[in-house]
């Protein structure tokens, strides 16, 4: 990795579509690391930056239109496959792939893939390896990435080392209450409206092991909500007592259906998402389907029920 970076004069860092705290935080941190090594860096997010993450230092420098020029190096962060960075073609001579997803396709010339709590934790290790000074500007986005991808240190990907890294980041200027307040306590009226509409349509299987809901474009328009206002709905569903799988189906502006999966641990939802052309983690995954929202629900529910029933039969 050091050789690849040292040979580059220009670089673009690209995050995945529907950006979350981990991909954005990792991007901002990698910009500091690469700049520290003398590389001229641009950052690109195909779907922009949700307002709740604009407090992070350097977020105003993230481009929302794909750069046209060719770069010596493209760095992808938190993307399990090259398709996860969107449809815009980025021209680069080499690719550095930094990710923590177990289903990463190793599409880079150099692949820095490790199953840690988050991609941000990997980037933290890179910063330490390259002897980059840990300033608040670096500590804040790294903490954001770790905190959001571990569900505020509640998910199973939270390990003892995760807390040790978080401790170091707090010591170096990441304020936990300030960060949490910016990310979790900035809901808009429109966000609450679309959330309420989604919950009113919630359904569950007879045994209450699977729960799901959906959001159409009409619901989004009627509520005045934006894409970022849908964040967190799936995790509310996951919090319901007794369920095993939560699903959220949402229609994007192009009519495609985005599906979010959450599991309590009994089944691996990344395998189901993979069958639908997506991927992710054992407990959290996603995919996109080119069909109606009704067809998407039928297809995904059939797969989830089949997997869940199979697990139940094995345990008997």
């Amino acid at each position: 990795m050091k050789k690849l970076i040292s040979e580059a004069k220009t670089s673009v860092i690209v995050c995945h579509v529907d950006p979350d705290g981990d991909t954005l935080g990792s991007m901002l941190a990698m910009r500091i690391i690469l700049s520290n090594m003398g590389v001229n860096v641009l950052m690109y997010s195909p779907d922009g930056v949700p307002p709740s993450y604009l407090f992070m230092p350097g977020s105003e420098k993230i481009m929302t239109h794909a750069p046209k020029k060719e770069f010596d190096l493209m760095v992808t962060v938190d993307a399990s496959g090259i398709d996860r960075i969107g449809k815009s073609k980025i021209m680069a001579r080499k690719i550095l792939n930094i990710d923590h997803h177990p289903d990463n396709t190793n599409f880079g010339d150099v692949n820095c893939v490790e199953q840690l709590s988050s991609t941000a934790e990997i980037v933290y290790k890179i910063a330490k390896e390259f002897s980059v000074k840990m300033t608040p500007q670096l500590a804040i986005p790294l903490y954001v990435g770790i905190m959001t991808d571990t569900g505020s240190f509640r998910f199973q990907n939270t390990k003892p080392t995760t807390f040790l890294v978080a401790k170091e980041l707090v010591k170096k200027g990441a304020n936990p209450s300030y960060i949490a307040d910016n990310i979790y306590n900035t809901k808009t009226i429109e966000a609450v409206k679309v959330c309420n509409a989604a919950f009113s349509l919630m359904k569950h299987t007879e045994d209450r092991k699977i729960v799901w809901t959906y959001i159409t474009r009409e619901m989004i328009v009627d509520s005045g909500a934006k894409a970022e206002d849908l964040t967190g709905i799936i995790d509310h569903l996951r919090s319901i007592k007794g369920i095993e799988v939560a699903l959220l189906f949402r229609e994007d502006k192009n009519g495609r259906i985005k599906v979010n999966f959450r599991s309590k641990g009994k089944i691996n939802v990344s395998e189901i998402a993979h069958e639908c052309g997506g991927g992710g983690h054992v407990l959290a995954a996603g995919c996109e389907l080119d069909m109606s929202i009704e067809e998407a629900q039928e297809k995904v529910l059939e797969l989830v029920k089949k997997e869940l029933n199979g697990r139940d039969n094995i345990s008997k």
Side-chain angles (χ1 to χ4, degrees), residues 28-40:
L28 291 166
M30 278 305 299
R31 181 185 72 87
I32 294 173
I33 293 169
L34 292 177
S35 296
N36 190 70
M37 297 179 70
V39 182
N40 192 320

Side-chain angles (χ1 to χ4, degrees), residues 142-155:
L142 288 175
Y143 185 91
V144 167
I146 293 170
M147 183 191 75
T148 54
D149 242 40
T150 59
S152 296
F153 308 98
R154 293 179 295 119
F155 297 161

Side-chain angles (χ1 to χ4, degrees), residues 113-283:
V113 179
E114 189 175 356
Q115 290 184 42
L116 297 178
S117 70
S118 55
T119 298
E121 189 172 343
I122 299 173
V123 175
Y124 169 84
K125 292 177 66 175
I126 294 171
K128 299 294 280 186
E129 176 68 23
F130 290 1
S131 300
V132 178
K133 183 179 179 182
M134 190 59 64
T135 63
Q137 288 71 28
L138 183 54
I140 290 169
L142 288 175
Y143 185 91
V144 167
I146 293 170
M147 183 191 75
T148 54
D149 242 40
T150 59
S152 296
F153 308 98
R154 293 179 295 119
F155 297 161
Q156 290 182 8
N157 57 337
T158 309
K159 307 299 180 186
T161 53
T162 313
F163 287 107
L164 293 174
V165 173
K167 173 187 174 182
E168 177 69 14
L169 296 175
V170 171
K171 285 172 63 177
K172 296 299 182 180
N175 184 319
S177 61
Y178 170 75
I179 291 171
D181 195 51
N182 271 279
I183 293 173
Y184 299 124
N185 298 330
T186 55
K187 292 288 185 186
T188 63
I189 294 294
E190 292 76 16
V192 175
K193 283 182 178 180
V194 77
C195 184
N196 184 54
F199 287 154
S200 72
L201 298 171
M202 185 182 72
K203 298 178 182 179
H204 58 78
T205 51
E206 188 175 349
D207 61 4
R208 301 195 174 199
K209 293 292 181 68
I210 307 170
V211 64
W212 72 95
T213 191
Y214 62 91
I215 301 171
T216 63
R217 283 303 301 169
E218 184 180 7
M219 291 165 63
I220 294 171
V221 172
D222 287 348
S223 64
K226 298 178 181 178
E228 57 264 21
D229 291 325
L230 309 183
T231 302
I233 294 175
I234 183 64
D235 294 310
H236 282 296
L237 294 176
R238 184 186 182 275
S239 70
I240 297 173
K241 183 179 179 181
I243 69 140
E244 291 294 343
V245 180
L247 303 164
L248 174 64
F249 301 84
R250 51 195 175 99
E251 184 181 12
D252 71 13
K253 60 184 178 183
N254 299 313
R256 288 177 61 82
I257 308 304
K258 295 186 176 183
V259 188
N260 296 117
F261 301 77
R262 294 292 185 272
S263 170
K264 288 284 185 74
K266 195 166 189 177
I267 67 172
N268 181 346
V269 288
S270 72
E271 292 180 352
I272 300 172
H274 186 71
E275 285 189 56
C276 299
H281 300 284
V282 172
L283 304 182

Side-chain angles (χ1 to χ4, degrees), residues 27-95:
M27 169 190 280
L28 291 166
M30 278 305 299
R31 181 185 72 87
I32 294 173
I33 293 169
L34 292 177
S35 296
N36 190 70
M37 297 179 70
V39 182
N40 192 320
V41 186
L42 291 180
M43 297 179 289
Y44 167 58
S45 172
D47 288 336
V49 182
S52 58
Y53 294 111
L54 288 173
F55 74 95
M56 290 193 289
S59 59
E60 73 283 354
K61 297 178 181 179
I62 297 174
M63 301 172 61
T64 56
H65 297 288
K68 302 297 183 184
K69 68 176 185 178
E70 185 178 43
F71 297 87
D72 296 328
L73 177 65
M74 176 169 69
V75 181
T76 61
V77 284
D78 202 39
S80 57
I82 194 68
D83 57 310
R84 288 286 290 146
I85 65 171
K87 295 181 179 180
S88 297
K89 184 171 176 59
I90 307 296
M91 295 178 290
R93 296 185 181 90
K94 297 287 184 178
I95 298 176

